[in-house]
Amino acid sequence: MTELITSGVELMLVGMGIVYAFLVMLIAAIHVMGVLVSRFFPEPSIIDGLVVNNGIDQSSVAAISVAVHQYRTKHK
Amino acid sequence: MTELITSGVELMLVGMGIVYAFLVMLIAAIHVMGVLVSRFFPEPSIIDGLVVNNGIDQSSVAAISVAVHQYRTKHK
Amino acid sequence: MTELITSGVELMLVGMGIVYAFLVMLIAAIHVMGVLVSRFFPEPSIIDGLVVNNGIDQSSVAAISVAVHQYRTKHK
Amino acid sequence: MGNLNLLWQSTGIHNFQAGQVLMMLVGFLLLFLAIKKDFEPLLLLPIGFGAILSNIPVAGIAEEGGILSYLYLGIKTGVFPLLIFMGVGAMTDFGPMLANPKTLLLGAAAQFGIFATLLGALALNIIPGLEFTLKDAAAIAIIGGADGPTAIYVASRLAPDLLGAIAVAAYSYMALVPLIQPPIMRALTTPEERSIEMQQMRNVSKVEKIIFPLVLLVLTTLLLPSAAPLVGMFCFGNLMNASGVVERLSKTAANELINIVTIFLGLAVGSKLSADAFLKLETLGILALGAIAFCIGTATGVIMAKIMNRFSSTPINPLIGAAGVSAVPMAARVANKLGLEANPHNFLLMHAMGPNVAGVIGSAVAAGVLLSLVH
Amino acid sequence: MGNLNLLWQSTGIHNFQAGQVLMMLVGFLLLFLAIKKDFEPLLLLPIGFGAILSNIPVAGIAEEGGILSYLYLGIKTGVFPLLIFMGVGAMTDFGPMLANPKTLLLGAAAQFGIFATLLGALALNIIPGLEFTLKDAAAIAIIGGADGPTAIYVASRLAPDLLGAIAVAAYSYMALVPLIQPPIMRALTTPEERSIEMQQMRNVSKVEKIIFPLVLLVLTTLLLPSAAPLVGMFCFGNLMNASGVVERLSKTAANELINIVTIFLGLAVGSKLSADAFLKLETLGILALGAIAFCIGTATGVIMAKIMNRFSSTPINPLIGAAGVSAVPMAARVANKLGLEANPHNFLLMHAMGPNVAGVIGSAVAAGVLLSLVH
Amino acid sequence: MGNLNLLWQSTGIHNFQAGQVLMMLVGFLLLFLAIKKDFEPLLLLPIGFGAILSNIPVAGIAEEGGILSYLYLGIKTGVFPLLIFMGVGAMTDFGPMLANPKTLLLGAAAQFGIFATLLGALALNIIPGLEFTLKDAAAIAIIGGADGPTAIYVASRLAPDLLGAIAVAAYSYMALVPLIQPPIMRALTTPEERSIEMQQMRNVSKVEKIIFPLVLLVLTTLLLPSAAPLVGMFCFGNLMNASGVVERLSKTAANELINIVTIFLGLAVGSKLSADAFLKLETLGILALGAIAFCIGTATGVIMAKIMNRFSSTPINPLIGAAGVSAVPMAARVANKLGLEANPHNFLLMHAMGPNVAGVIGSAVAAGVLLSLVH
Ligand code: NA
Ligand code: NA
Ligand code: NA
C-alpha cells in the first residue's frame, strides 16, 4: 500500500515534470518556428484579401451563385 | 540470368500482344454495341432536353440558385 | 414429414399469437404513453411555431421552399 | 509458346462451366430489372453485379481471399443488415402510426403471410427432390415480411445456403408490389369500401416520438429478446433522428453509412448466387413461396381492416390494410393510388404509412419468434 | 404447448437479472441526460443505448457473436479513438494558441488534475473493498484530461474492465463543465482579475499552422514516443486541414468518418456497461475521483494564470486558465461567459481557445507518460 | 529516479536508429512535395505522414497491434485498392472513348512502358547487389501503367516488400507528368502535327454508356479473368454512375467512401516505408525504372498515333497519344496545353480523355497478364 502510494507520488512528480518540460519546449519551438517562418515566408499584405469582396455588386453575386450552383451540380 | 531475360522478353511479347488483342476486340465490341444500340434504342431527339428550362425566366433562376446555395452552405 | 407439418402448424399458431399479442400490448403501451405525455409534457401551442416565420413574406418562403424542394429531390 | 498456352488455360472461355454462365445471365437479368424496370435498384443492382463477379471463372472473387469473401463477413456476423436497419430507423417517422395505433393490428395481420408460407414450404416437401428443413422453411417464410434487412438477417442465421435466393426473392417481390397487390385488393373490397375517407390524424408531439422507440425496445426486451438485435438497432436509429440532439449522427446513419453498407451488402449477397446454391429446384420453390407470401399478407391485411370496421366507429379504409406487409413506402403508395381511383378526394398515403411501419415492427417480431423457436 | 413454454423461457421477464435491470436504468438515465439535458449527446446517446442493448437478457448483443462484440474490436485495437482524434485534429484551429504560446503553460498546469487524481485513486484503496492497481489508477486519472478519445484510448490499454465507467464519467463531467467550473473560478479570482481585458491577438500565418503539427509530432517523437499514436493521428488530421491541399479528405475525416466512428464507439463503450463491471464500489470511486479531477484541473489552471501574471508584463485573465482542462469548446465558453459577467466588454473566447487546445496536447502528453511508465 | 531513467530509455532520442531518421526525412520530403509542390497530395500527404508515423521509435505504430498494422490489412486483402478503383469507376465518363473507339489503340500502345520496364528491371540484375525476381520486376513494371490503385494492387500481390517504393514512385511520377511528358512529346512531333485539329465528337447515348461497362466486363471474363477483380470493381462503379438509378450509392462511392479508403490506404502504404524496405539499392532502381516507364509509355503512345495517321483518313493529333499512359486527367491536360501552344484554336482535352481512360483499361489488362503469368 505505502509502496503503491510512493510510486504514485513519484509518478505525479515525474509526470507533471514531463508535461511542463514538454510544453515549455513546445513554446520554445513555436517561437523558433515563428522567427524562421517570418524570415523565410514573409506574410503577404492582408489588403490583398480585403479587396476580394469589394468591387462586386449584388447582381454579380447572384450570377456567380448561379454559376457555382451549376458547377457543383455537374461536378458533384 | 539469361533465362530470366528470356522469360522477360517472352512476357513482353505475349503481354503486349494480349493488351493489343484485348483492346482491338474491345473496339470491335464497341462498334457492334453502337450498331445494336442505335437499332434497338434509337436516341430521342435532343430538342426534348432543351425545352425543360424554358418556362422559367432568368431572374427566378438566380433567386432559386441563391436560395439553394444558402441552403447548401448551411446544411453541408 | 407429418411431424414437420405438425411443428409448422404449431409454429404458425404460436407465431401469429405472439405477433398479435405483442402488437396489442404495443397499442396499449402507446395509449398509456399518450396519456402520460399529455399530462407531463403538455404540448406548447402550435401558434409558437407559426410566429417563427413571420418576418419573411409568404412569396419568398414559397420560392425558397420550391428551390429547396427541387434541390432535395435532385440530390437525394 | 508456353506462356500463350498458359494464358489460354487461364481464359474464361477455357474454364467456363455451364452453371457459371447461367448464373451470370441471372446477374444480367437482375441488372436489367434494376436499371430498365427500376426494380429496387439500390439492392438489385449490387446483387446482380455481385452475382456476375462471383461467377467469373478462375478469378475467385467470391472465394476465400477474394474481395467478396471479405465483404460477406459483414453478413455472416449480422453486422450489415443490422446497420441498414439502424439507417432505416433513422429514416422512419412513427408519427402516422402513433396518431392511429389501431393500425398496428393491420401490421400484425399481414404477417400471416410469413407463417402461412412457412407451412407451405414444409408442405412442398412432398415434391420429390425438395427437402426444406424447419430452418429452411422459416428463412423462406420471412420473405413474406417484405422487409429486406430482416429477411437477410434471418436467412444468414438460419439458412445461409438459401441466402442468395431469399434476398433476390424478397427484393424482387418488393419491387413488384405495385403489380402484385392491386388485383388482390380490388378482389377483396367493394368500390364503396375503397371510397371510405378517413378522419384527419391528430398531431403527434415530439416527446411521443422520442419515447416511442424506447417503449418498443422495452416491450421487446420483456417479451421477445430474440428480436432485440433487429428491433434495437432500428429503435436506436429512430431515437437518434427523433431526439434531434445528434443530427450529424442520424444524418450520417441515414445517408453515407447506409449507402456504404448497402453497396457492400448487395455485392456480398450476390456472392451467394453461385450455380451450386441457386440452380436448384429449391430456388423455384422459394420464388413461388415468396409470391404466395406477399399475396397472403396483402389479403389478410385487407381482411383485418374489414373486420375492424365491423367493431369500430371510426371507419378504416380497408385498402390501407394491404400496406401492413411493410414494403415501405411502395405498399402505402399503392393503397393511396387505389383510394384515389375510387374517390378523387381520398388521400390515403399518410393513413397507410401507419400500417406500413407497423408491418416493419410486425415482421421483426415474427423474425424474433422464428429465431427463438427454430433451432 | 411445448413451443409456448419454450417461448416463455426465452422471454426477458423470465430471464432478467437484477443487475441487468439496474444497468438498463443507467442506460435510460444516460439517454435522459443526453436528450433532455443536452449532456454531450453525441457520445452519451450511443453509450446509453449501447448500455441498454448489452443488458437485454438472452439476446447476447454484447456477447461473442453479437454486433456490439464486433464493434468493440474497434476499441480493443485502439483504432476508433485514434480515428476520432484524427477527426478532432481536422476540426482544430491552433491559431489562437500559436498567437499566444504562453497559454500552453495553462494547458500544462491543468493536467495536475490527472496526477492528483492518480494519487487519490491509490489513496482510496484504504477503503475496504476497493483495490485499484496502478494501472487502474492511471486509467481513472486520465478522466482529468477532460478529453474523451484520450480517456478511452488509455483505459482500453490499461484497464479495459473500467472502460465503461471511465468513459461515462469523462463525458458526463465534460457536459457538466458549465456547472462544475464557475464556482471554482469565482472562488479563486477577484472581480478585478476577472475583468482583465487581454490584448488583441496577432495574426497567425497559414505557413505556421501547417508547420506546427509537424513540430509537435517531432517533439513527441524525440521526447515521448509513447504519446505518438494519439498525438500523431491528431497532427495528421490537423495537417490535412491546415495544408488545404486535401480538402476532400479533411472534410470527410471531420464529418462522415468521425460520425460513423462515433456511432460505433459509443455503442461499443456502452457494451462495457454490464452489471458485473459497473455495479461495483469502484464505479462510485471513479465517479467521485473524476469530479475531483475536473475541480483540481480547473483550479490549477486558474492559479497558474495568476502566477504568470506576477512575472509577465502582458496581462492574462486568470479565467482562461480554467480552459486548460480542454473539454473543447465548453471550457472556453465558460471562461468567456464569466469574463462578460465581470466586464461587458471583455470577450475572452478566442483567448481561451489557446489554453483549451493546449489542454488537448497536455492530456495527450500526460497519457503518453502514463502509458510508458505504468505496466 | 527509476522513473526518470525509465522515461529516458523510452525517449525517441535514446532509441532512434539512423534508418528511421532518414525515413522520417523521406516522409517530410513527401509532405513537402504534396503540400508545397501540389504533387498528388491526396495520396502523397497520407503516405508521407504514414512514413513518419511508422518510423517513430518505440511507439510501434506500424508494428503488430499498432493502428497502421490494422489499416494495412485493407491492402493485404486487396480490398482498399479495389474500393478505390470502384470509386474511380464511378467518376469516369467513358463518353469520349466511346465516341472515338480507335483511341483505345493509343491506350494499348502506351502500355509498352510497362513491359519495357519489366525487361529493364531484369536487365538491372547485372548490377551487383540488385536481385529482382520476375515477380519483383512485374510489380515494378506496373508503375508504367500510371495508375495508382492498379500499381498498389499488383504490388500487394506480387511483391509486398517493394510496395512502399512502388507506390511512392507511381504517384510521384503521375504528379510529374506535366514535367516528364512535354519534352518527349515535342521531340517526337512536328509543329504541324501538333496543330492538327480533330473532328468534333459524336454524341454518345446513355444506353451505350450503360452497356459499355458490361461489355468490358464480359470481354475480361472471357479472355483474361485474372484482371476481373480490378476491371470488375471499376465497371461496377461505372455502371452505378452511368445507369443513374442508384445515384445515392454512386455518389457515396465517388466521395465519402473513396475519401475514407484513400486516407486509410495512404497511411497504410506509408507504413511500408520502413528503413529496411526502402533504404536499399533496389529503391533507386525502382525510381529510375519508373521514370523510364513513363517516358517509354509516352513515346509509344505518340508514335502509335503517328502510325495510325498513316492508315486513317480522319486525322489524329499525335499529342493525344501521350495521354494513353492514363495518369487521369493530368496527361490529357498536358496534351491539351501543348495543342493550344501550337494552335490557339486546338482544344484537345476531350479528345485526349479517350486515350486517357483507355490507358486505365490498358493497364488493368496488363496487370491481369502479369498476375496470371508471373508466379
Ligand atoms: Na413486414
Ligand atoms: Na486535457
Ligand atoms: Na495506364
Side-chain angles (χ1 to χ4, degrees):
Chain A
M1 178 69 198
T2 349
E3 199 185 330
L4 209 57
I5 293 284
T6 316
S7 33
V9 172
E10 200 180 325
L11 200 54
M12 184 173 85
L13 295 176
V14 170
M16 276 312 284
I18 300 291
V19 169
Y20 263 105
F22 190 95
L23 293 190
V24 167
M25 293 184 71
L26 194 55
I27 293 174
I30 291 173
H31 280 299
V32 171
M33 178 182 87
V35 171
L36 293 178
V37 164
S38 64
R39 179 172 308 168
F40 295 108
F41 303 90
E43 185 79 325
S45 164
I46 203 163
I47 294 172
D48 300 353
L50 290 178
V51 177
V52 168
N53 273 340
N54 245 359
I56 312 173
D57 64 6
Q58 276 315 95
S59 68
S60 311
V61 169
I64 289 170
S65 178
V66 170
V68 166
H69 176 61
Q70 288 174 344
Y71 172 81
R72 296 183 102 165
T73 312
K74 278 187 203 149
H75 295 255
K76 257 278 161 97
Chain B
M1 179 68 199
T2 350
E3 199 186 327
L4 209 57
I5 293 285
T6 316
S7 33
V9 172
E10 200 180 324
L11 200 54
M12 183 172 85
L13 294 176
V14 170
M16 276 312 284
I18 299 292
V19 170
Y20 263 105
F22 190 96
L23 294 190
V24 167
M25 292 185 72
L26 194 55
I27 293 174
I30 291 173
H31 280 299
V32 171
M33 178 182 87
V35 171
L36 293 178
V37 164
S38 65
R39 179 173 307 168
F40 294 109
F41 303 91
E43 185 79 326
S45 163
I46 202 162
I47 294 171
D48 301 352
L50 290 178
V51 177
V52 169
N53 273 342
N54 248 357
I56 312 171
D57 66 8
Q58 276 313 94
S59 69
S60 312
V61 169
I64 287 169
S65 179
V66 169
V68 166
H69 179 64
Q70 289 174 345
Y71 172 82
R72 296 183 101 167
T73 311
K74 277 185 202 151
H75 294 253
K76 257 275 160 95
Chain C
M1 178 69 199
T2 349
E3 200 186 327
L4 209 57
I5 293 284
T6 316
S7 33
V9 171
E10 201 179 324
L11 200 54
M12 183 173 84
L13 295 175
V14 171
M16 276 311 285
I18 300 291
V19 170
Y20 262 104
F22 190 96
L23 294 190
V24 167
M25 293 184 70
L26 194 55
I27 293 174
I30 292 172
H31 280 297
V32 172
M33 177 181 87
V35 171
L36 293 178
V37 164
S38 65
R39 180 173 307 166
F40 295 108
F41 303 91
E43 185 79 326
S45 162
I46 202 161
I47 294 171
D48 301 353
L50 290 178
V51 177
V52 168
N53 275 343
N54 246 358
I56 313 171
D57 66 12
Q58 277 313 97
S59 69
S60 313
V61 170
I64 288 169
S65 160
V66 168
V68 167
H69 179 64
Q70 288 175 343
Y71 170 81
R72 297 183 101 163
T73 311
K74 278 187 202 149
H75 295 254
K76 259 278 160 96
Chain D
M1 282 308 88
N3 267 340
L4 269 186
N5 194 25
L6 207 66
L7 209 65
W8 162 246
Q9 281 172 13
S10 76
T11 60
I13 304 173
H14 185 83
N15 286 282
F16 251 130
Q17 293 157 16
Q20 291 172 323
V21 178
L22 282 172
M23 287 316 296
M24 289 185 78
L25 292 177
V26 170
F28 282 110
L29 175 65
L30 292 176
L31 292 183
F32 174 79
L33 294 175
I35 296 171
K36 184 78 183 170
K37 298 289 178 190
D38 212 41
F39 268 33
E40 291 278 334
L42 291 173
L43 264 297
L44 288 191
L45 194 150
I47 292 177
F49 214 96
I52 297 172
L53 289 180
S54 60
N55 283 286
I56 295 177
V58 183
I61 301 178
E63 280 156 40
E64 191 163 340
I67 183 171
L68 295 189
S69 76
Y70 294 113
L71 295 182
Y72 186 70
L73 293 177
I75 292 182
K76 200 173 171 189
T77 58
V79 170
F80 284 171
L82 292 178
L83 290 180
I84 290 196
F85 225 48
M86 176 178 81
V88 172
M91 288 190 262
T92 296
D93 177 11
F94 277 122
M97 197 192 79
L98 295 175
N100 194 2
K102 272 188 308 183
T103 56
L104 275 163
L105 292 177
L106 303 175
Q111 307 316 317
F112 189 67
I114 294 179
F115 295 100
T117 306
L118 191 153
L119 214 56
L122 296 175
L124 272 191
N125 280 342
I126 57 165
I127 299 177
L130 276 185
E131 265 188 66
F132 290 128
T133 65
L134 197 58
K135 277 184 172 185
D136 293 344
I140 295 166
I142 203 73
I143 299 174
D147 191 90
T150 300
I152 291 173
Y153 184 77
V154 171
S156 73
R157 250 91 287 251
L158 296 179
D161 285 349
L162 305 178
L163 179 67
I166 288 172
V168 166
Y171 284 105
S172 301
Y173 291 127
M174 275 192 268
L176 286 172
V177 149
L179 295 180
I180 295 176
Q181 289 198 320
I184 300 167
M185 294 159 78
R186 286 205 189 89
L188 291 173
T189 53
T190 64
E192 290 70 39
E193 286 172 329
R194 295 200 290 276
S195 305
I196 297 174
E197 294 183 26
M198 293 181 66
Q199 294 177 355
Q200 217 202 316
M201 286 193 287
R202 78 172 177 92
N203 200 32
V204 174
S205 74
K206 199 189 158 191
V207 177
E208 280 171 280
K209 289 190 189 174
I210 294 176
I211 295 178
F212 175 71
L214 298 172
V215 168
L216 175 55
L217 182 62
V218 167
L219 211 61
T220 307
T221 301
L222 293 177
L223 300 183
L224 198 62
S226 52
L230 278 168
V231 174
M233 291 305 281
F234 189 84
C235 290
F236 175 54
N238 193 253
L239 181 68
M240 285 201 288
N241 184 38
S243 69
V245 293
V246 290
E247 202 188 348
R248 57 182 292 166
L249 300 187
S250 65
K251 278 191 174 167
T252 296
N255 290 290
E256 289 82 14
L257 181 52
I258 202 174
N259 290 347
I260 292 172
V261 176
T262 300
I263 292 174
F264 292 173
L265 177 104
L267 288 174
V269 166
S271 78
K272 287 285 135 177
L273 291 182
S274 65
D276 290 355
F278 195 84
L279 295 179
K280 299 167 85 170
L281 192 53
E282 271 90 343
T283 300
L284 283 182
I286 290 171
L287 290 172
L289 288 164
I292 292 169
F294 267 66
C295 295
I296 293 178
T298 303
T300 49
V302 173
I303 291 167
M304 183 71 197
K306 293 178 70 163
I307 293 172
M308 284 166 70
N309 266 342
R310 292 270 171 97
F311 297 97
S312 166
S313 52
T314 50
I316 293 176
N317 188 314
L319 291 174
I320 71 169
V325 296
S326 42
V328 186
M330 285 87 68
R333 284 198 201 128
V334 167
N336 189 55
K337 192 166 156 250
L338 266 71
L340 283 173
E341 259 174 38
N343 169 357
H345 302 291
N346 197 5
F347 295 96
L348 293 174
L349 189 64
M350 268 302 136
H351 298 285
M353 288 307 294
N356 215 184
V357 300
V360 176
I361 300 175
S363 47
V365 169
V369 172
L370 296 175
L371 288 171
S372 79
L373 292 185
V374 178
H375 298 286
Chain E
M1 282 306 90
N3 267 340
L4 269 187
N5 194 25
L6 208 65
L7 209 65
W8 163 247
Q9 281 172 15
S10 76
T11 60
I13 304 173
H14 184 84
N15 287 282
F16 251 128
Q17 293 157 16
Q20 292 173 323
V21 178
L22 282 172
M23 287 316 297
M24 289 185 77
L25 291 177
V26 170
F28 281 110
L29 175 66
L30 292 176
L31 292 183
F32 174 80
L33 294 175
I35 296 171
K36 184 77 182 169
K37 298 290 178 190
D38 212 41
F39 267 34
E40 291 277 335
L42 290 174
L43 264 298
L44 288 191
L45 194 151
I47 291 177
F49 214 97
I52 297 172
L53 289 180
S54 60
N55 284 286
I56 295 176
V58 184
I61 300 178
E63 280 155 39
E64 189 163 343
I67 183 170
L68 295 190
S69 76
Y70 295 113
L71 296 182
Y72 186 70
L73 294 177
I75 292 182
K76 200 174 172 190
T77 57
V79 170
F80 284 171
L82 292 177
L83 290 180
I84 290 195
F85 225 48
M86 175 179 82
V88 173
M91 288 190 263
T92 297
D93 177 11
F94 278 122
M97 197 192 79
L98 294 176
N100 194 1
K102 274 188 307 186
T103 56
L104 275 163
L105 292 178
L106 303 174
Q111 308 315 316
F112 188 67
I114 293 179
F115 294 101
T117 306
L118 191 152
L119 215 55
L122 295 175
L124 272 191
N125 280 343
I126 57 165
I127 299 176
L130 276 185
E131 264 188 67
F132 290 127
T133 65
L134 197 57
K135 277 185 172 185
D136 293 343
I140 295 166
I142 202 72
I143 299 173
D147 191 273
T150 300
I152 292 173
Y153 184 77
V154 171
S156 72
R157 249 99 275 261
L158 296 180
D161 285 348
L162 304 179
L163 178 68
I166 288 172
V168 166
Y171 283 104
S172 301
Y173 291 126
M174 275 193 267
L176 285 173
V177 150
L179 296 180
I180 295 177
Q181 290 198 320
I184 300 167
M185 293 158 79
R186 287 207 188 87
L188 291 173
T189 53
T190 63
E192 291 70 37
E193 286 172 328
R194 295 200 292 276
S195 305
I196 297 175
E197 294 184 28
M198 293 181 66
Q199 295 177 353
Q200 217 201 315
M201 285 193 287
R202 79 171 177 92
N203 199 32
V204 174
S205 73
K206 200 190 157 192
V207 177
E208 279 171 279
K209 290 191 188 175
I210 293 176
I211 295 178
F212 175 71
L214 297 172
V215 168
L216 175 55
L217 182 63
V218 167
L219 211 62
T220 308
T221 301
L222 293 178
L223 299 183
L224 198 62
S226 53
L230 278 169
V231 173
M233 291 305 281
F234 189 83
C235 290
F236 176 54
N238 192 254
L239 181 67
M240 285 201 288
N241 184 38
S243 70
V245 293
V246 290
E247 203 188 347
R248 58 182 290 166
L249 300 187
S250 65
K251 278 192 173 165
T252 297
N255 290 289
E256 290 81 15
L257 181 53
I258 202 174
N259 291 347
I260 292 172
V261 176
T262 300
I263 292 173
F264 292 173
L265 177 104
L267 288 173
V269 167
S271 78
K272 288 282 136 178
L273 291 181
S274 65
D276 291 354
F278 195 84
L279 295 178
K280 299 168 86 170
L281 192 54
E282 270 91 343
T283 301
L284 282 183
I286 291 170
L287 289 173
L289 288 164
I292 292 168
F294 268 65
C295 295
I296 294 178
T298 303
T300 49
V302 173
I303 292 166
M304 183 71 198
K306 293 179 71 164
I307 294 172
M308 284 166 70
N309 267 342
R310 292 270 170 98
F311 298 95
S312 166
S313 52
T314 50
I316 293 177
N317 188 312
L319 291 174
I320 72 167
V325 296
S326 44
V328 186
M330 285 86 67
R333 283 199 202 128
V334 167
N336 189 55
K337 192 166 155 249
L338 266 73
L340 283 173
E341 261 174 37
N343 168 358
H345 301 292
N346 196 5
F347 295 96
L348 293 174
L349 189 63
M350 267 303 135
H351 298 285
M353 288 307 294
N356 216 185
V357 300
V360 176
I361 299 175
S363 48
V365 169
V369 172
L370 296 175
L371 288 172
S372 79
L373 293 186
V374 178
H375 298 287
Chain F
M1 281 306 90
N3 267 340
L4 269 186
N5 194 24
L6 208 64
L7 209 65
W8 162 247
Q9 280 172 15
S10 75
T11 60
I13 304 172
H14 185 83
N15 287 282
F16 251 127
Q17 293 158 15
Q20 291 172 324
V21 178
L22 282 171
M23 287 316 297
M24 289 185 78
L25 291 177
V26 170
F28 282 111
L29 175 67
L30 292 176
L31 292 183
F32 174 78
L33 294 175
I35 295 171
K36 184 77 182 169
K37 298 289 177 191
D38 213 41
F39 268 33
E40 291 277 335
L42 291 174
L43 264 297
L44 288 191
L45 194 150
I47 292 178
F49 213 96
I52 297 172
L53 289 180
S54 60
N55 282 286
I56 295 177
V58 183
I61 301 179
E63 281 156 38
E64 190 163 339
I67 183 171
L68 295 189
S69 75
Y70 294 113
L71 296 183
Y72 186 71
L73 293 177
I75 292 182
K76 200 173 171 189
T77 58
V79 170
F80 285 171
L82 292 177
L83 290 180
I84 290 195
F85 225 47
M86 175 178 82
V88 172
M91 289 191 262
T92 297
D93 177 12
F94 278 122
M97 197 192 79
L98 294 175
N100 194 2
K102 274 188 306 183
T103 57
L104 275 163
L105 291 178
L106 303 174
Q111 308 315 317
F112 189 69
I114 293 179
F115 295 100
T117 306
L118 191 154
L119 213 56
L122 296 176
L124 272 191
N125 280 343
I126 56 165
I127 299 176
L130 276 185
E131 265 188 66
F132 290 128
T133 65
L134 197 58
K135 276 184 172 185
D136 294 343
I140 295 166
I142 202 73
I143 298 174
D147 191 89
T150 300
I152 291 173
Y153 184 78
V154 171
S156 73
R157 249 98 276 260
L158 296 179
D161 285 347
L162 305 178
L163 179 68
I166 288 172
V168 166
Y171 283 104
S172 301
Y173 291 127
M174 275 192 267
L176 285 172
V177 149
L179 296 180
I180 295 176
Q181 290 198 320
I184 301 166
M185 293 158 78
R186 286 205 188 90
L188 291 173
T189 53
T190 64
E192 289 71 39
E193 286 172 329
R194 295 201 290 276
S195 305
I196 296 174
E197 294 183 27
M198 293 181 66
Q199 294 178 354
Q200 217 202 316
M201 286 192 289
R202 78 171 177 92
N203 199 32
V204 174
S205 74
K206 200 189 157 192
V207 177
E208 279 171 279
K209 289 190 189 175
I210 293 176
I211 295 179
F212 176 71
L214 298 172
V215 168
L216 174 54
L217 182 62
V218 167
L219 211 60
T220 308
T221 301
L222 294 177
L223 300 183
L224 199 62
S226 52
L230 279 168
V231 174
M233 291 304 281
F234 189 83
C235 290
F236 176 53
N238 192 254
L239 181 67
M240 285 201 288
N241 184 39
S243 70
V245 293
V246 291
E247 204 187 348
R248 58 182 292 167
L249 300 188
S250 65
K251 278 192 174 167
T252 296
N255 290 289
E256 290 81 15
L257 181 53
I258 202 174
N259 291 347
I260 292 172
V261 177
T262 299
I263 292 173
F264 292 172
L265 177 106
L267 288 173
V269 166
S271 79
K272 287 283 136 177
L273 291 181
S274 65
D276 290 354
F278 196 84
L279 295 179
K280 299 167 86 170
L281 192 54
E282 270 90 342
T283 301
L284 283 183
I286 290 170
L287 290 172
L289 288 164
I292 292 169
F294 268 65
C295 295
I296 294 178
T298 303
T300 49
V302 173
I303 292 168
M304 183 71 197
K306 294 179 71 165
I307 294 173
M308 284 166 71
N309 266 343
R310 293 269 169 99
F311 297 97
S312 165
S313 51
T314 50
I316 293 176
N317 188 315
L319 292 174
I320 72 168
V325 295
S326 42
V328 186
M330 286 87 68
R333 283 199 202 129
V334 166
N336 189 54
K337 191 165 156 252
L338 267 72
L340 283 173
E341 260 174 38
N343 168 357
H345 302 292
N346 196 5
F347 295 97
L348 292 174
L349 189 63
M350 268 302 135
H351 298 285
M353 288 308 294
N356 216 184
V357 299
V360 176
I361 300 175
S363 47
V365 169
V369 172
L370 296 175
L371 288 172
S372 79
L373 291 185
V374 178
H375 298 287

